[in-house]
mmCIF file of all heavy atoms in Angstrom:
data_model
loop_
_atom_site.group_PDB
_atom_site.id
_atom_site.type_symbol
_atom_site.label_atom_id
_atom_site.label_comp_id
_atom_site.label_asym_id
_atom_site.label_seq_id
_atom_site.Cartn_x
_atom_site.Cartn_y
_atom_site.Cartn_z
ATOM 1 N N SER B 298 -10.304 18.739 20.333
ATOM 2 C CA SER B 298 -9.622 19.843 21.005
ATOM 3 C C SER B 298 -10.320 21.181 20.742
ATOM 4 O O SER B 298 -9.932 22.193 21.310
ATOM 5 C CB SER B 298 -8.187 19.918 20.517
ATOM 6 O OG SER B 298 -8.184 20.334 19.168
ATOM 7 N N GLY B 299 -11.298 21.169 19.846
ATOM 8 C CA GLY B 299 -12.038 22.403 19.580
ATOM 9 C C GLY B 299 -11.406 23.299 18.533
ATOM 10 O O GLY B 299 -11.902 24.382 18.257
ATOM 11 N N ARG B 300 -10.288 22.851 17.952
ATOM 12 C CA ARG B 300 -9.653 23.692 16.914
ATOM 13 C C ARG B 300 -10.522 23.732 15.656
ATOM 14 O O ARG B 300 -10.555 24.723 14.964
ATOM 15 C CB ARG B 300 -8.246 23.190 16.602
ATOM 16 C CG ARG B 300 -7.203 23.696 17.600
ATOM 17 C CD ARG B 300 -5.796 23.381 17.139
ATOM 18 N NE ARG B 300 -5.521 21.954 17.207
ATOM 19 C CZ ARG B 300 -5.093 21.343 18.305
ATOM 20 N NH1 ARG B 300 -4.862 22.017 19.407
ATOM 21 N NH2 ARG B 300 -4.874 20.044 18.316
ATOM 22 N N TRP B 301 -11.156 22.621 15.358
ATOM 23 C CA TRP B 301 -12.098 22.590 14.247
ATOM 24 C C TRP B 301 -13.475 22.290 14.826
ATOM 25 O O TRP B 301 -13.603 21.482 15.740
ATOM 26 C CB TRP B 301 -11.745 21.468 13.243
ATOM 27 C CG TRP B 301 -10.421 21.634 12.558
ATOM 28 C CD1 TRP B 301 -9.656 22.775 12.514
ATOM 29 C CD2 TRP B 301 -9.707 20.637 11.830
ATOM 30 N NE1 TRP B 301 -8.501 22.530 11.802
ATOM 31 C CE2 TRP B 301 -8.504 21.228 11.362
ATOM 32 C CE3 TRP B 301 -9.960 19.307 11.520
ATOM 33 C CZ2 TRP B 301 -7.569 20.531 10.605
ATOM 34 C CZ3 TRP B 301 -9.024 18.603 10.769
ATOM 35 C CH2 TRP B 301 -7.846 19.216 10.311
ATOM 36 N N ASN B 302 -14.500 22.920 14.270
ATOM 37 C CA ASN B 302 -15.851 22.637 14.746
ATOM 38 C C ASN B 302 -16.661 21.809 13.762
ATOM 39 O O ASN B 302 -17.230 20.798 14.118
ATOM 40 C CB ASN B 302 -16.578 23.943 15.054
ATOM 41 C CG ASN B 302 -15.998 24.613 16.277
ATOM 42 O OD1 ASN B 302 -15.783 23.953 17.302
ATOM 43 N ND2 ASN B 302 -15.707 25.890 16.179
ATOM 44 N N GLU B 303 -16.692 22.242 12.520
ATOM 45 C CA GLU B 303 -17.495 21.528 11.526
ATOM 46 C C GLU B 303 -16.555 20.967 10.458
ATOM 47 O O GLU B 303 -15.805 21.721 9.832
ATOM 48 C CB GLU B 303 -18.504 22.472 10.866
ATOM 49 C CG GLU B 303 -19.447 23.164 11.840
ATOM 50 C CD GLU B 303 -20.386 22.201 12.549
ATOM 51 O OE1 GLU B 303 -20.740 21.171 11.945
ATOM 52 O OE2 GLU B 303 -20.740 22.469 13.711
ATOM 53 N N VAL B 304 -16.601 19.654 10.268
ATOM 54 C CA VAL B 304 -15.699 19.015 9.302
ATOM 55 C C VAL B 304 -16.479 18.041 8.424
ATOM 56 O O VAL B 304 -17.286 17.249 8.934
ATOM 57 C CB VAL B 304 -14.562 18.243 10.022
ATOM 58 C CG1 VAL B 304 -13.702 17.491 9.024
ATOM 59 C CG2 VAL B 304 -13.697 19.196 10.846
ATOM 60 N N LEU B 305 -16.276 18.120 7.132
ATOM 61 C CA LEU B 305 -16.813 17.097 6.229
ATOM 62 C C LEU B 305 -15.675 16.155 5.868
ATOM 63 O O LEU B 305 -14.612 16.590 5.427
ATOM 64 C CB LEU B 305 -17.396 17.733 4.963
ATOM 65 C CG LEU B 305 -18.574 18.685 5.142
ATOM 66 C CD1 LEU B 305 -19.068 19.194 3.786
ATOM 67 C CD2 LEU B 305 -19.725 18.009 5.897
ATOM 68 N N PHE B 306 -15.920 14.874 6.081
ATOM 69 C CA PHE B 306 -14.907 13.837 5.824
ATOM 70 C C PHE B 306 -15.438 12.965 4.683
ATOM 71 O O PHE B 306 -16.523 12.394 4.793
ATOM 72 C CB PHE B 306 -14.716 13.044 7.116
ATOM 73 C CG PHE B 306 -13.840 11.825 7.004
ATOM 74 C CD1 PHE B 306 -12.514 11.923 6.602
ATOM 75 C CD2 PHE B 306 -14.335 10.561 7.351
ATOM 76 C CE1 PHE B 306 -11.703 10.803 6.526
ATOM 77 C CE2 PHE B 306 -13.529 9.435 7.289
ATOM 78 C CZ PHE B 306 -12.215 9.565 6.869
ATOM 79 N N ILE B 307 -14.690 12.927 3.578
ATOM 80 C CA ILE B 307 -15.219 12.263 2.376
ATOM 81 C C ILE B 307 -14.207 11.271 1.809
ATOM 82 O O ILE B 307 -13.475 11.582 0.849
ATOM 83 C CB ILE B 307 -15.568 13.308 1.277
ATOM 84 C CG1 ILE B 307 -16.367 14.449 1.855
ATOM 85 C CG2 ILE B 307 -16.337 12.663 0.122
ATOM 86 C CD1 ILE B 307 -15.614 15.757 1.890
ATOM 87 N N PRO B 308 -14.135 10.055 2.345
ATOM 88 C CA PRO B 308 -13.241 9.045 1.762
ATOM 89 C C PRO B 308 -13.674 8.702 0.332
ATOM 90 O O PRO B 308 -14.865 8.652 0.034
ATOM 91 C CB PRO B 308 -13.419 7.841 2.689
ATOM 92 C CG PRO B 308 -13.891 8.426 3.966
ATOM 93 C CD PRO B 308 -14.770 9.572 3.572
ATOM 94 N N THR B 309 -12.690 8.510 -0.516
ATOM 95 C CA THR B 309 -12.961 8.283 -1.936
ATOM 96 C C THR B 309 -12.439 6.909 -2.350
ATOM 97 O O THR B 309 -11.395 6.478 -1.881
ATOM 98 C CB THR B 309 -12.232 9.356 -2.761
ATOM 99 O OG1 THR B 309 -10.918 9.544 -2.215
ATOM 100 C CG2 THR B 309 -12.961 10.670 -2.717
ATOM 101 N N GLY B 310 -13.151 6.238 -3.234
ATOM 102 C CA GLY B 310 -12.738 4.905 -3.651
ATOM 103 C C GLY B 310 -12.795 4.729 -5.161
ATOM 104 O O GLY B 310 -13.640 5.317 -5.829
ATOM 105 N N ALA B 311 -11.875 3.924 -5.685
ATOM 106 C CA ALA B 311 -11.875 3.577 -7.102
ATOM 107 C C ALA B 311 -12.335 2.129 -7.200
ATOM 108 O O ALA B 311 -11.676 1.224 -6.703
ATOM 109 C CB ALA B 311 -10.483 3.749 -7.694
ATOM 110 N N LEU B 312 -13.492 1.917 -7.852
ATOM 111 C CA LEU B 312 -14.152 0.609 -7.771
ATOM 112 C C LEU B 312 -13.795 -0.344 -8.909
ATOM 113 O O LEU B 312 -14.644 -1.066 -9.403
ATOM 114 C CB LEU B 312 -15.671 0.815 -7.722
ATOM 115 C CG LEU B 312 -16.160 1.619 -6.515
ATOM 116 C CD1 LEU B 312 -17.649 1.896 -6.631
ATOM 117 C CD2 LEU B 312 -15.862 0.890 -5.222
ATOM 118 N N MET B 313 -12.532 -0.338 -9.311
ATOM 119 C CA MET B 313 -12.150 -1.263 -10.389
ATOM 120 C C MET B 313 -11.544 -2.531 -9.782
ATOM 121 O O MET B 313 -11.310 -2.608 -8.593
ATOM 122 C CB MET B 313 -11.159 -0.594 -11.344
ATOM 123 C CG MET B 313 -9.732 -0.567 -10.885
ATOM 124 S SD MET B 313 -9.504 0.327 -9.352
ATOM 125 C CE MET B 313 -7.956 -0.360 -8.837
ATOM 126 N N SER B 314 -11.315 -3.523 -10.631
ATOM 127 C CA SER B 314 -10.526 -4.671 -10.193
ATOM 128 C C SER B 314 -9.432 -4.873 -11.229
ATOM 129 O O SER B 314 -9.475 -4.261 -12.302
ATOM 130 C CB SER B 314 -11.393 -5.932 -10.087
ATOM 131 O OG SER B 314 -11.565 -6.509 -11.361
ATOM 132 N N THR B 315 -8.472 -5.729 -10.928
ATOM 133 C CA THR B 315 -7.398 -5.963 -11.896
ATOM 134 C C THR B 315 -7.983 -6.536 -13.191
ATOM 135 O O THR B 315 -7.501 -6.259 -14.278
ATOM 136 C CB THR B 315 -6.359 -6.941 -11.333
ATOM 137 O OG1 THR B 315 -7.053 -8.045 -10.772
ATOM 138 C CG2 THR B 315 -5.523 -6.297 -10.251
ATOM 139 N N VAL B 316 -9.067 -7.318 -13.062
ATOM 140 C CA VAL B 316 -9.703 -7.908 -14.250
ATOM 141 C C VAL B 316 -10.316 -6.812 -15.128
ATOM 142 O O VAL B 316 -10.077 -6.754 -16.333
ATOM 143 C CB VAL B 316 -10.780 -8.935 -13.848
ATOM 144 C CG1 VAL B 316 -11.519 -9.444 -15.067
ATOM 145 C CG2 VAL B 316 -10.148 -10.087 -13.079
ATOM 146 N N SER B 317 -11.093 -5.915 -14.507
ATOM 147 C CA SER B 317 -11.774 -4.885 -15.303
ATOM 148 C C SER B 317 -10.755 -3.967 -15.974
ATOM 149 O O SER B 317 -10.967 -3.531 -17.102
ATOM 150 C CB SER B 317 -12.746 -4.089 -14.435
ATOM 151 O OG SER B 317 -12.057 -3.240 -13.545
ATOM 152 N N VAL B 318 -9.668 -3.693 -15.282
ATOM 153 C CA VAL B 318 -8.642 -2.825 -15.864
ATOM 154 C C VAL B 318 -7.991 -3.508 -17.067
ATOM 155 O O VAL B 318 -7.813 -2.909 -18.130
ATOM 156 C CB VAL B 318 -7.572 -2.452 -14.808
ATOM 157 C CG1 VAL B 318 -6.364 -1.808 -15.473
ATOM 158 C CG2 VAL B 318 -8.154 -1.501 -13.777
ATOM 159 N N GLN B 319 -7.685 -4.807 -16.907
ATOM 160 C CA GLN B 319 -7.071 -5.532 -18.022
ATOM 161 C C GLN B 319 -8.019 -5.657 -19.209
ATOM 162 O O GLN B 319 -7.601 -5.752 -20.344
ATOM 163 C CB GLN B 319 -6.608 -6.925 -17.563
ATOM 164 C CG GLN B 319 -5.306 -6.851 -16.785
ATOM 165 C CD GLN B 319 -5.001 -8.108 -16.006
ATOM 166 O OE1 GLN B 319 -5.714 -9.099 -16.087
ATOM 167 N NE2 GLN B 319 -3.924 -8.074 -15.239
ATOM 168 N N GLN B 320 -9.321 -5.639 -18.930
ATOM 169 C CA GLN B 320 -10.291 -5.709 -20.020
ATOM 170 C C GLN B 320 -10.582 -4.344 -20.620
ATOM 171 O O GLN B 320 -11.468 -4.204 -21.452
ATOM 172 C CB GLN B 320 -11.579 -6.378 -19.516
ATOM 173 C CG GLN B 320 -11.355 -7.854 -19.190
ATOM 174 C CD GLN B 320 -12.571 -8.539 -18.618
ATOM 175 O OE1 GLN B 320 -13.545 -7.880 -18.254
ATOM 176 N NE2 GLN B 320 -12.531 -9.857 -18.524
#
Side-chain angles (χ1 to χ4, degrees):
Chain B
S298 69
R300 278 190 290 274
W301 296 345
N302 290 313
E303 303 294 329
V304 175
L305 298 182
F306 173 60
I307 312 111
T309 42
L312 299 174
M313 80 299 159
S314 81
T315 47
V316 175
S317 72
V318 168
Q319 282 165 4
Q320 292 177 348

